Amino acid sequence: MSTPHRPVLVVDYGAQYAQLIARRVREARVYSEVVPATATVAELLARDPAAIILSGGPASVYADGAPQVDPALFAGGVPTLGICYGFQAMAQSLGGGVTRTGRSEYGRTALQVTGTGSRIFAGLPEEFAVWMSHGDAVNRAPDGFVVTATTAGAPVAAFEDTARALAGVQFHPEVLHTEHGQDVLEHFLHDLAGIAPDWTPASIVDEQVAAVRAAVGDAQVLCALSGGVDSAVAAALVHRAVGDNLTCVFVDHGLLRKGERVQVERDYVAATGIRLKVVDASRRFLAELSGVTDPEAKRKIIGRLFIRVFEDAAREVVAQSGGSVEFLVQGTLYPDVVESGGGTGAANIKSHHNVGGLPEDLQFTLVEPLRALFKDEVRQVGLELGLPPAMVWRHPFPGPGLGIRIVGAVDAERLAVLREADAIVREETTAAGLDRDVWQFPVVLLADVRSVGVQGDGRTYGHPVVLRPVSSEDAMTADFSRLPYDVLARISTRITNEVPEVNRVVLDITSKPPGTIEWE
């Protein structure tokens, strides 16, 4: 994704909240990107940032090897906000004092706003609760700075140099536990840094349409349409850019949920008018997956075969159009990139169908117009493009489909069992009005596990099914959804009554981390 908006760069010093800071900046309708702490001042300034935010981090500014802030950064005329470690590193770099006070602060802390004239605390109460996590503290503000807040454990809890548009806070304004935290960030962005709040869904659409046109020109384009939110929005956006030069290819890999193929063929085409080619490759996928139990191997097989099917489809499109197909659109999102090792300091947690599982001899140039967006931003773009709300608010569904929701080998019989259980869960969740309360609701079949049960008057050895409802903002972190017991009871009763191969329904109440949202 490219954008003509000057970015707010979030310099990541190893903070658990760096991505969250970027999200909060975007919620203020300002474009932001996360960059590594290893970036030099020259590299940062070459990006022509509208502002810079120095994130928190686990180190002490005095520790050997701790990341430091080059004083030259503050001579570049770029408005800068330091948060937690970034605040301390900023103070030290500019000649202020940082010390270990012996009074650490963790969690909810009372903040007192001192004096008048503060830009970032303008209009806020004189005292409110903030979220702290520090052992060191700034005990002397640099020359030219005014101390604007204090706490019991931090004599300098915030400072500002309004003439240079520099500010810092010891607390974490990005977390929900901090009262007025978003106000503090917006005051910095809009008032102190003077950035207009004009990064909106409409501007994202305009920018990406222009970027796709510039990259693709008059070439033919394929889109990997899964029926999910990401690919649906990506396809609609690219269709606006290239019109009939786009052909969407929907691959029925045999790993879909109940009714999904019909829904895509009927509803999506009706909503968009996009040309759709449906490829039934279910036998091919199931043959390749036969006997495979390792989840990473499943993902890679599905990703590789997906592309091969697209190459076959491309040849057919070429034959029909008489041209060539050079570009492949995918609905890759920012969390996909981070979890696949593409983010700052990110570990390769799993190979995504649209990031980590692609073959090295890929025959297409990828077009990923949503690559820098979080899921909630994608939904807003979808609404801006005029997609039906039912499609925009559909729960995320992984590209590898039910293949990674079966723990064990995948075959037609096991898929049929899981489809029926999953359909019941979706029906009951919708009937209870919980679709918007749950981010994602994987239903997992423990195919290689048998549990003892009693059905009728007989003893059974059926499969357990795991319910995994989670709540999240962006899938980077998640917590299990607290569903009403009566809804869970109806789901369990229906599954065990209507799906004879299942005799036990269990609930996964693990957060992320330590667990992932999907089981495989």
Side-chain angles (χ1 to χ4, degrees):
M1 174 176 170
S2 60
T3 171
H5 281 79
R6 295 173 62 202
V8 170
L9 299 180
V10 179
V11 182
D12 183 4
Y13 289 108
Q16 59 178 319
Y17 298 129
Q19 308 298 339
L20 184 56
I21 296 171
R23 283 186 51 81
R24 298 297 183 231
V25 172
R26 294 177 182 207
E27 288 172 9
R29 296 190 171 187
V30 174
Y31 180 64
S32 64
E33 298 177 5
V34 177
V35 295
T38 53
T40 65
V41 171
E43 290 170 337
L44 294 176
L45 297 182
R47 302 282 300 277
D48 189 26
I52 293 172
I53 297 179
L54 310 177
S55 85
S60 165
V61 292
Y62 297 117
D64 292 339
Q68 303 297 319
V69 179
D70 187 338
L73 176 66
F74 307 109
V78 179
T80 303
L81 173 68
I83 294 176
C84 195
Y85 179 87
F87 169 62
Q88 295 174 5
M90 182 179 188
Q92 185 185 59
S93 175
L94 289 167
V98 181
T99 185
R100 182 169 293 278
T101 64
R103 184 170 182 175
S104 301
E105 290 178 313
Y106 298 100
R108 186 180 178 89
T109 305
L111 179 86
Q112 287 79 40
V113 176
T114 60
T116 59
S118 168
R119 299 287 289 277
I120 63 174
F121 296 125
L124 301 184
E126 293 182 359
E127 180 174 322
F128 57 92
V130 299
W131 196 256
M132 288 285 200
S133 181
H134 70 98
D136 296 345
V138 176
N139 62 352
R140 187 181 74 257
D143 291 342
F145 283 78
V146 174
V147 177
T148 54
T150 185
T151 69
V156 181
F159 57 42
E160 295 176 44
D161 181 342
T162 57
R164 291 191 290 168
L166 303 177
V169 295
Q170 180 61 66
F171 59 91
H172 288 276
E174 72 275 16
V175 302
L176 293 177
H177 305 293
T178 292
E179 296 175 354
H180 308 291
Q182 188 66 15
D183 293 327
V184 170
L185 286 173
E186 292 186 7
H187 287 171
F188 167 73
L189 295 166
H190 303 326
D191 301 333
L192 192 59
I195 305 171
D198 58 4
W199 195 69
T200 63
S203 72
I204 295 170
V205 170
D206 291 342
E207 291 161 5
Q208 288 312 298
V209 166
V212 170
R213 284 174 178 162
V216 171
D218 295 328
Q220 293 290 317
V221 184
L222 284 180
C223 178
L225 185 65
S226 69
V229 179
D230 307 338
S231 65
V233 173
L237 197 155
V238 173
H239 185 249
R240 181 169 291 191
V242 305
D244 290 341
N245 282 355
L246 172 68
T247 299
C248 285
V249 178
F250 176 73
V251 175
D252 183 353
H253 49 23
L255 308 171
L256 302 171
R257 295 185 293 188
K258 189 174 182 178
E260 283 189 309
R261 176 170 171 172
V262 173
Q263 182 185 47
V264 172
E265 289 183 289
R266 181 189 62 205
D267 298 343
Y268 190 72
V269 173
T272 63
I274 288 176
R275 183 167 61 245
L276 178 66
K277 180 180 180 61
V278 178
V279 179
D280 188 344
S282 55
R283 291 185 179 179
R284 188 173 174 184
F285 275 84
L286 289 181
E288 290 269 357
L289 290 169
S290 179
V292 178
T293 59
D294 180 74
E296 188 71 359
K298 289 182 190 177
R299 288 180 177 271
K300 291 186 180 297
I301 288 170
I302 295 168
R304 172 181 54 77
L305 192 53
F306 217 100
I307 293 299
R308 296 308 178 217
V309 171
F310 266 87
E311 289 172 340
D312 294 342
R315 282 188 284 270
E316 294 182 21
V317 172
V318 169
Q320 294 169 0
S321 67
S324 63
V325 177
E326 302 174 19
F327 296 94
L328 172 63
V329 178
Q330 290 192 272
T332 308
L333 303 191
Y334 192 52
D336 296 337
V337 177
V338 172
E339 287 201 336
S340 297
T344 302
N348 186 357
I349 298 173
K350 57 188 177 184
S351 294
H352 282 263
H353 67 287
N354 51 356
V355 179
L358 300 181
E360 294 181 359
D361 58 340
L362 181 67
Q363 299 300 306
F364 306 106
T365 299
L366 292 181
V367 177
E368 299 173 307
L370 311 178
R371 186 179 178 89
L373 299 182
F374 291 96
K375 179 74 74 173
D376 59 324
E377 295 168 331
V378 171
R379 295 191 198 279
Q380 294 304 316
V381 169
L383 294 173
E384 180 69 27
L385 289 165
L387 293 180
M391 186 176 297
V392 170
W393 292 102
R394 182 177 184 263
H395 287 178
F397 185 61
L402 299 180
I404 59 167
R405 292 184 176 176
I406 294 177
V407 178
V410 178
D411 59 36
E413 291 75 19
R414 290 174 171 182
L415 285 166
V417 171
L418 183 53
R419 279 195 191 97
E420 293 304 318
D422 175 86
I424 290 169
V425 169
R426 287 188 287 151
E427 289 171 9
E428 291 297 335
T429 305
T430 299
L434 296 173
D435 285 341
R436 296 282 186 94
D437 297 325
V438 178
W439 166 271
Q440 194 169 350
F441 202 152
V443 181
V444 181
L445 178 67
L446 303 184
D448 289 344
V449 176
R450 294 279 183 168
S451 63
V452 177
V454 177
Q455 290 171 299
D457 292 323
R459 184 181 179 91
T460 63
Y461 290 94
H463 295 293
V465 160
V466 180
L467 308 181
R468 174 64 166 145
V470 297
S471 299
S472 179
E473 285 189 330
D474 52 30
M476 300 298 292
T477 60
D479 196 9
F480 69 93
S481 301
R482 274 67 168 175
L483 300 185
Y485 288 140
D486 59 336
V487 175
L488 292 172
R490 284 198 300 273
I491 290 173
S492 178
T493 298
R494 284 195 59 192
I495 290 176
T496 53
N497 284 350
E498 299 175 30
V499 187
E501 297 86 352
V502 176
N503 67 356
R504 194 178 298 268
V505 177
V506 299
L507 179 65
D508 182 349
I509 58 170
T510 312
S511 63
K512 175 187 179 181
T516 55
I517 293 177
E518 299 290 345
W519 269 49
E520 292 208 340

